[in-house]
Amino acid sequence: MTIFLENRPLNSFYSSITNVFSGQVEFRNVSTTRSNPKNITIVKDVPEYLDAQINEDSGWKIRKLKTFKGSLINLNNYKDETDYLSKTFSSSRRSKFRTNQKRLEKCFNISYKTYYGDIDKEEYESLFDKFLEFINRRFDQKQLINDDLVRWKVYRDIAYPLILSKEACLFVIYDGDKPISISFNPIHGKTIFGYIRGYDIDYGKFYLGFTDIIVQLQWCFENNFTTFDLLKGEYEYKSQWTDTQYYFEKHLIFNSSLLLTALRARLIIFKIKTMYLLIDLLKKWNFHIVLGNIRSYLRRPKMDTKNTISKVEIRIDNDPEPSKTCNGIIMDISDSSIAHIRMHIYNFLYQNQESINNIVVLSLLDPPNSFLIKGIKNSQKITVN
């Protein structure tokens, strides 16, 4: 998370913060907080479209330095989420979004909930436990290390009070009473920041990420938000979903009337400008991609081969012979003993448009380590080697 969003007391250094897209003053402070005149305050990761000002009296100055690029959706350009989707994606792509969401809702007992201003502490803790599990499983699946998890305790500690004060919200998709997708989004005025997302990879066939962001956009329009900011990071989905790029800024707040303080500030400004100039130059040579690949390779987690299933073979039989499938034990789909095939069960639901309420999963006695999914229309046999 950006330091600007994470440490809200830093706002007290500013006299006003205005969103240049909406023209709305999102923060106004009549009595700004001043640090010791000899100190230099650095506020990191301020989006440039949030025009932050200070009262430049008694020699106080602010210098704004561009750092990394971010991307956002300017919601003022659209009437609602339907208008946004029609102007952003082709009809075939929108059709796929609708198909995925309808199939999700047909196959499972889906509900959507936004926690904004109120959440039970016990429920909050339970959701963040599940949130961390989602993220860990996803990165284990990709065989990558998530650097953000180093700060997970910080996020968990600050999120609860921010949600209660309506300075953040938690979007959750439920299957029954089980969360399957969670997004934590800080809020500043009428700007919402899409930051941490996690989902149950067993539901991967249903493209939960797309449904999640569409539901979030609907909520944003209903609650008159003006900006949906997807922050830093060069990801393909961001270039597809966003319509505006901007720069993050570092703000240096210092008292220029003190000679030593002013000289120190100039030295810091020179160092920061030089560093980001070098970073931009290396990016033009795609050095950041090469470096990222090397870091990912060197830091990839070691896989526990003892607990890894070597191969899962799936044989589809739409008309199984009763004599070969009657000897089995009915399994509870939530049973941990079949967690390793749950994704394949959900894939079966997606492919055959079956409701989870209408299927039976059997653990077959012969052959061992084989399972039968029986739906209304089709059946599927799963053999684990």
Side-chain angles (χ1 to χ4, degrees):
M1 185 188 298
T2 68
I3 302 301
F4 174 70
L5 295 173
E6 184 177 311
N7 193 351
R8 295 306 171 96
L10 288 175
N11 286 359
S12 62
F13 287 106
Y14 301 107
S15 57
S16 67
I17 299 175
T18 304
N19 187 316
V20 299
F21 293 128
S22 65
Q24 179 181 8
V25 178
E26 297 192 348
F27 176 81
R28 191 182 297 280
N29 190 15
V30 286
S31 56
T32 54
T33 299
R34 299 295 196 199
S35 60
N36 186 312
K38 295 181 180 180
N39 292 341
I40 298 174
T41 300
I42 300 178
V43 184
K44 301 177 181 178
D45 300 327
V46 183
E48 67 175 341
Y49 62 85
L50 293 180
D51 182 21
Q53 298 294 330
I54 67 168
N55 291 323
E56 294 191 348
D57 53 7
S58 304
W60 286 94
K61 297 290 183 182
I62 181 172
R63 291 293 179 266
K64 303 176 181 180
L65 306 173
K66 293 181 179 181
T67 57
F68 294 108
K69 282 185 178 181
S71 53
L72 58 83
I73 306 170
N74 187 346
L75 301 179
N76 290 317
N77 294 334
Y78 314 98
K79 298 176 183 177
D80 51 30
E81 76 282 358
T82 302
D83 185 41
Y84 162 78
L85 291 171
S86 65
K87 291 179 178 178
T88 308
F89 298 100
S90 66
S91 58
S92 61
R93 192 76 188 279
R94 297 196 305 272
S95 177
K96 289 181 181 178
F97 293 154
R98 289 192 297 270
T99 296
N100 290 329
Q101 184 170 357
K102 287 180 179 178
R103 201 160 293 187
L104 176 70
E105 294 170 352
K106 180 176 182 178
C107 295
F108 303 99
N109 307 305
I110 296 299
S111 61
Y112 309 93
K113 187 167 184 178
T114 304
Y115 296 90
Y116 178 57
D118 181 52
I119 185 172
D120 179 75
K121 189 66 162 66
E122 186 176 344
E123 186 174 12
Y124 169 84
E125 296 293 348
S126 176
L127 285 170
F128 260 74
D129 285 342
K130 186 61 69 174
F131 206 167
L132 182 58
E133 179 187 320
F134 289 164
I135 294 173
N136 280 331
R137 283 192 69 201
R138 176 58 173 156
F139 275 80
D140 285 347
Q141 181 189 49
K142 296 168 69 176
Q143 297 188 37
L144 295 174
I145 292 176
N146 186 352
D147 293 328
D148 283 332
L149 293 183
V150 176
R151 295 181 55 78
W152 184 259
K153 187 179 184 303
V154 175
Y155 302 150
R156 185 165 186 155
D157 289 344
I158 66 171
Y160 183 68
L162 288 177
I163 292 170
L164 294 183
S165 62
K166 293 189 174 183
E167 293 177 293
C169 63
L170 206 62
F171 289 100
V172 185
I173 301 177
Y174 285 95
D175 173 10
D177 58 0
K178 179 179 68 172
I180 61 174
S181 176
I182 303 174
S183 296
F184 170 64
N185 294 356
I187 291 171
H188 195 284
K190 284 299 181 181
T191 300
I192 187 166
F193 298 85
Y195 183 61
I196 311 176
R197 305 171 72 195
Y199 68 92
D200 188 334
I201 59 175
D202 290 341
Y203 295 77
K205 191 74 172 178
F206 293 84
Y207 294 94
L208 290 179
F210 293 146
T211 297
D212 171 61
I213 196 169
I214 291 171
V215 171
Q216 290 186 48
L217 284 169
Q218 180 180 359
W219 185 86
C220 289
F221 281 110
E222 290 173 350
N223 288 273
N224 301 314
F225 281 88
T226 60
T227 311
F228 194 118
D229 192 337
L230 296 183
L231 300 170
K232 302 176 189 174
E234 297 179 4
Y235 301 101
E236 184 179 357
Y237 84 92
K238 287 190 178 184
S239 63
Q240 294 173 351
W241 287 82
T242 58
D243 60 14
T244 304
Q245 285 194 329
Y246 66 91
Y247 278 96
F248 280 93
E249 296 176 335
K250 279 188 180 179
H251 290 180
L252 271 73
I253 302 172
F254 62 97
N255 195 310
S256 61
S257 64
L258 301 178
L259 180 60
L260 288 179
T261 302
L263 289 175
R264 283 174 52 223
R266 288 188 178 185
L267 179 60
I268 293 171
I269 291 169
F270 174 77
K271 287 182 177 180
I272 293 173
K273 283 185 173 181
T274 302
M275 181 180 70
Y276 285 101
L277 185 64
L278 179 60
I279 290 173
D280 285 341
L281 185 61
L282 292 174
K283 280 189 173 183
K284 288 181 180 178
W285 296 338
N286 290 326
F287 184 77
H288 63 298
I289 297 175
V290 176
L291 182 62
N293 291 336
I294 294 173
R295 288 182 65 223
S296 296
Y297 177 78
L298 294 176
R299 301 177 64 221
R300 69 193 188 282
K302 294 181 179 179
M303 303 302 293
D304 186 356
T305 54
K306 293 181 180 180
N307 296 324
T308 302
I309 298 170
S310 59
K311 188 177 181 181
V312 176
E313 295 180 353
I314 300 175
R315 185 181 70 190
I316 299 175
D317 183 358
N318 293 328
D319 188 21
E321 297 180 31
S323 61
K324 294 184 178 181
T325 59
C326 61
N327 294 322
I329 301 171
I330 296 179
M331 303 295 295
D332 183 343
I333 297 175
S334 63
D335 194 316
S336 60
S337 66
I338 60 171
H340 57 298
I341 65 164
R342 193 171 295 129
M343 181 185 297
H344 300 290
I345 296 172
Y346 294 166
N347 289 351
F348 170 85
L349 297 178
Y350 181 91
Q351 292 161 359
N352 296 283
Q353 301 186 48
E354 293 267 16
S355 168
I356 196 168
N357 303 316
N358 297 329
I359 68 165
V360 174
V361 178
L362 296 173
S363 176
L364 300 178
L365 302 178
D366 184 29
N369 297 322
S370 61
F371 303 86
L372 182 73
I373 310 169
K374 297 180 67 175
I376 293 176
K377 295 180 289 186
N378 297 307
S379 298
Q380 183 179 101
K381 186 178 180 181
I382 299 175
T383 302
V384 180
N385 294 329

